[in-house]
Amino acid sequence: MSGNSGSVRVTEPEESDESTDLDESIPIDESTGWTKENLQKLLAAMKTSYPEEYGDIAYPTGLKAVDWEKVAFPPFSPEACQNKWRKIFHEMRKLRTLAELIDEAEESITNLVLNKKARYVDRLASEEHKRQMKVFRKQHPVLVQQKKSTPQKRKRVSAVTPNQGEQPKDAAGLPPKPPCNGYSIFCQEQLPTMAGISSRTYMSVWAERWKGLTKREKDAYSIQHTKLQRKYMKALNEYVKSFSEEEKQRLLNEHGIKVAMVNKRSPLTKRLPGEPKMPSRSGNVIFCQDQMELMREELPNARERFRKVNQMWKELSNEEKFQYKEKVNKKLKKYSKKLQKWLKTLTQEDQDNYWERNPTKRQYLNPNSLKRKSSKSEIVYRPSDSEDEEIEVSNRDEPKNNLEEEEEEEEDEDDKEDVVMFDIY
DNA sequence: ATCTGAGTGTTGAACGTGTG
DNA sequence: CACACGTTCAACACTCAGAT
C-alpha cells in the first residue's frame, strides 16, 4: 500500500526538511531561473516581508500586507515573485490531503488562530476572532485603513434586478450589471411570500422550496436567466465595439467586468436549454467514455483512469480506431436528426438568432456535407464500403459488438430525455 | 468541442455586523 | 446613516489529465 504511487499527492514518508518539501511538491523550473535555491530565497524573503502582526491574520489579508518590493531580488521583479508565489500556492492547495486539512482544523481550534476556516469548525472561535480583531484594529489603525483604502472590487454599474425589464444605462453608457442566475431569480420571486418567516431563515426556506421544484420548473428559471444573459452580452458587446482594444480593457477593468469567464464559453455560443449536445468528431472521445466506465473499479481516481485510457487509445490498431470512427459517424447522424427536431420547436426569430450565433452548425443539417469534411481526416484503414455508403447506411443492419449495443441504449435514453425537454417549450 | 469527475472560484440575492 | 464586507445558499464556469 505504502509503495503504491497511485495517489496523486506526493507524500512525505518521514520527517522532512524544507528542501524536501520544495523538491516534491513545488514545481522547480530551472529554465526561468526558479531554481531550488531561488525558491528558498523567495520563501525566506516573504517571511520577513510583512508586518509581524499579520502572522496571525487570515491568508488573504496577510497576503495583501506582503511588500513585494522588499521580497524581490535579482533577477526577479516584484511581479515575478508575486506570480511565482501564486503558482506555488496553487500547487500546494491541490496537494493537501484530507489528513492535513483535519490536522490544520485541529490546530485552528487548539491555537485559536485567526483563521477564517476555523469559524466553520467551531463557531465559538468566531467570537474570539472578533475580540482579537477589535484589539488588532485599535493597535494598528493605519494597517486597517490601508486595507480599506485599496478598493479592488468592482463598483457595481447598477443595482437593479433583472426582473425589472428594460434598465436604464448608467452615465458611462454601460449596460446594467449581468443578470442573476436562475436560482437567484427564484429567490427574488419568493420574497413577497416570506411574511411571518424570520429573515434569518430566508435562505434555508428558499433552498427547501427550490429542492421541491420539478426539473421543468427549474429549467424555466434557467431559460429566463439565459435570455437575460444573452440580452446583457449583446448590449455589452454593442457598447464596447466602438472602443479600441486598449480602451475596452481599461473600461472593463475600471468597472470590474470580468469577461474572461464569460468569454470562453460565452452565453452567445453556449448551448440553449433543450438543444442537443453536439458529439465530438473524434473516436477517442467515445473510446474514453466507454473505458472510463469499464475501468471505474480498477482505477477509481478519475484523472489516473483518464490518463490510462488515453494511453490505451494510443496503443489501439488503426482497425480498432476505425470502429470508433464509425461510431462517430453514427452519432453525427443522430445529432443531425435531433438538431432538426429541436429547431422545429423554435420560433423563426429564435432560429435566425441561432444560425447567426452558430453558423458552423449548419453543416449538421446535411449529412452529406458532414461526410465530406470528415473524410479529409479519415484514418488510413478503410473497409471495402464506399464513403457514400458509410453515411447513407442508416437503415442497414450492421454487426454490433457489446459497446455498440450499450451506446444504442444510451442514445435511446437521450432521445427520451430530449422529448421531455421539448415539452417545456 | 467532447469524454470524466473532483476541486475551486464566481455569481446572484438579502440580511447582519462593524466602522467612520 | 452610508458603506464595506461577511454569511448563506445553489448554480454554473472553469481547470486538470490526453486525444482528435
Side-chain angles (χ1 to χ4, degrees), chain A residues 33-47:
Chain A
W34 283 113
T35 61
K36 186 168 127 183
E37 287 70 27
N38 280 336
L39 284 170
Q40 285 173 325
K41 207 169 165 183
L42 168 73
L43 298 177
M46 282 180 68
K47 278 185 186 173

Side-chain angles (χ1 to χ4, degrees), chain A residues 1-155:
Chain A
M1 232 275 289
S2 62
N4 182 3
S5 59
S7 163
V8 173
R9 181 180 174 267
V10 182
T11 52
E12 301 159 322
E14 280 156 39
E15 74 235 276
S16 60
D17 57 25
E18 255 185 64
S19 61
T20 327
D21 282 342
L22 282 172
D23 281 345
E24 296 197 353
S25 59
I26 298 174
I28 294 172
D29 186 0
E30 303 270 354
S31 64
T32 55
W34 283 113
T35 61
K36 186 168 127 183
E37 287 70 27
N38 280 336
L39 284 170
Q40 285 173 325
K41 207 169 165 183
L42 168 73
L43 298 177
M46 282 180 68
K47 278 185 186 173
T48 58
S49 67
Y50 53 86
E52 208 183 326
E53 306 81 31
Y54 275 82
D56 287 334
I57 295 293
Y59 174 74
T61 313
L63 189 65
K64 280 177 196 160
V66 172
D67 183 350
W68 292 101
E69 295 283 346
K70 213 169 144 188
V71 173
F73 57 93
F76 304 105
S77 66
E79 289 75 25
C81 292
Q82 199 172 358
N83 285 337
K84 192 64 192 174
W85 167 251
R86 278 204 198 109
K87 280 182 187 158
I88 292 171
F89 176 65
H90 183 69
E91 281 309 308
M92 286 176 69
R93 204 174 40 186
K94 278 195 289 190
L95 291 161
R96 286 202 301 180
T97 62
L98 174 64
E100 282 171 338
L101 290 168
I102 294 172
D103 283 346
E104 198 179 311
E106 270 181 351
E107 197 183 303
S108 295
I109 293 169
T110 311
N111 301 332
L112 284 175
V113 171
L114 295 179
N115 184 336
K116 188 180 165 187
K117 288 187 180 70
R119 292 202 291 274
Y120 287 100
V121 180
D122 188 346
R123 291 270 159 193
L124 292 174
S126 166
E127 296 307 311
E128 180 63 11
H129 174 110
K130 282 178 194 164
R131 194 188 62 73
Q132 292 192 30
M133 275 306 284
K134 212 166 188 172
V135 174
F136 176 77
R137 284 194 197 98
K138 282 218 167 106
Q139 286 172 348
H140 310 284
V142 180
L143 292 178
V144 176
Q145 195 54 47
Q146 269 175 3
K147 187 193 159 207
K148 284 182 150 246
S149 61
T150 50
Q152 299 289 325
K153 279 189 77 173
R154 171 187 183 190
K155 184 82 183 165

Side-chain angles (χ1 to χ4, degrees), chain A residues 90 203 265 301 409:
Chain A
H90 183 69
M203 307 281 176
R265 194 174 294 182
N301 182 298
E409 269 176 39

Side-chain angles (χ1 to χ4, degrees), chain A residues 116-303:
Chain A
K116 188 180 165 187
K117 288 187 180 70
R119 292 202 291 274
Y120 287 100
V121 180
D122 188 346
R123 291 270 159 193
L124 292 174
S126 166
E127 296 307 311
E128 180 63 11
H129 174 110
K130 282 178 194 164
R131 194 188 62 73
Q132 292 192 30
M133 275 306 284
K134 212 166 188 172
V135 174
F136 176 77
R137 284 194 197 98
K138 282 218 167 106
Q139 286 172 348
H140 310 284
V142 180
L143 292 178
V144 176
Q145 195 54 47
Q146 269 175 3
K147 187 193 159 207
K148 284 182 150 246
S149 61
T150 50
Q152 299 289 325
K153 279 189 77 173
R154 171 187 183 190
K155 184 82 183 165
R156 294 247 164 84
V157 173
S158 159
V160 290
T161 61
N163 282 352
Q164 290 166 296
E166 292 297 323
Q167 303 305 331
K169 292 184 175 185
D170 79 342
L174 269 173
K177 65 174 182 170
C180 49
N181 61 33
Y183 177 68
S184 294
I185 296 174
F186 168 78
C187 290
Q188 281 175 38
E189 282 183 12
Q190 297 305 304
L191 267 181
T193 69
M194 301 307 282
I197 300 172
S198 160
S199 58
R200 283 174 181 272
T201 58
Y202 277 14
M203 307 281 176
S204 3
V205 173
W206 296 338
E208 275 306 307
R209 290 182 182 177
W210 177 259
K211 277 176 197 158
L213 295 188
T214 62
K215 187 177 182 305
R216 186 184 291 197
E217 286 167 332
K218 287 181 185 177
D219 279 345
Y221 285 100
S222 172
I223 294 162
Q224 207 176 332
H225 163 74
T226 308
K227 283 183 180 167
L228 289 164
Q229 179 77 355
R230 194 168 290 145
K231 206 169 172 183
Y232 169 76
M233 288 305 288
K234 202 173 174 182
L236 185 63
N237 284 335
E238 193 64 33
Y239 177 71
V240 297
K241 76 178 180 190
S242 55
F243 294 91
S244 70
E245 196 52 42
E246 201 177 308
E247 283 172 325
K248 199 163 97 184
Q249 283 310 316
R250 185 190 54 77
L251 190 77
L252 295 177
N253 281 339
E254 257 178 26
H255 291 271
I257 300 170
K258 293 172 186 167
V259 285
M261 230 175 136
V262 286
N263 254 359
K264 254 198 163 167
R265 194 174 294 182
S266 136
L268 293 172
T269 57
K270 180 172 139 177
R271 260 195 311 142
L272 293 165
E275 181 188 348
K277 198 187 258 185
M278 191 179 75
S280 169
R281 305 181 72 151
S282 156
N284 164 269
V285 167
I286 298 177
F287 178 75
C288 279
Q289 198 175 3
D290 288 343
Q291 293 302 318
M292 283 293 281
E293 187 56 42
L294 291 172
M295 294 176 67
R296 187 182 291 277
E297 276 188 28
E298 192 186 324
L299 274 175
N301 182 298
R303 285 196 180 191

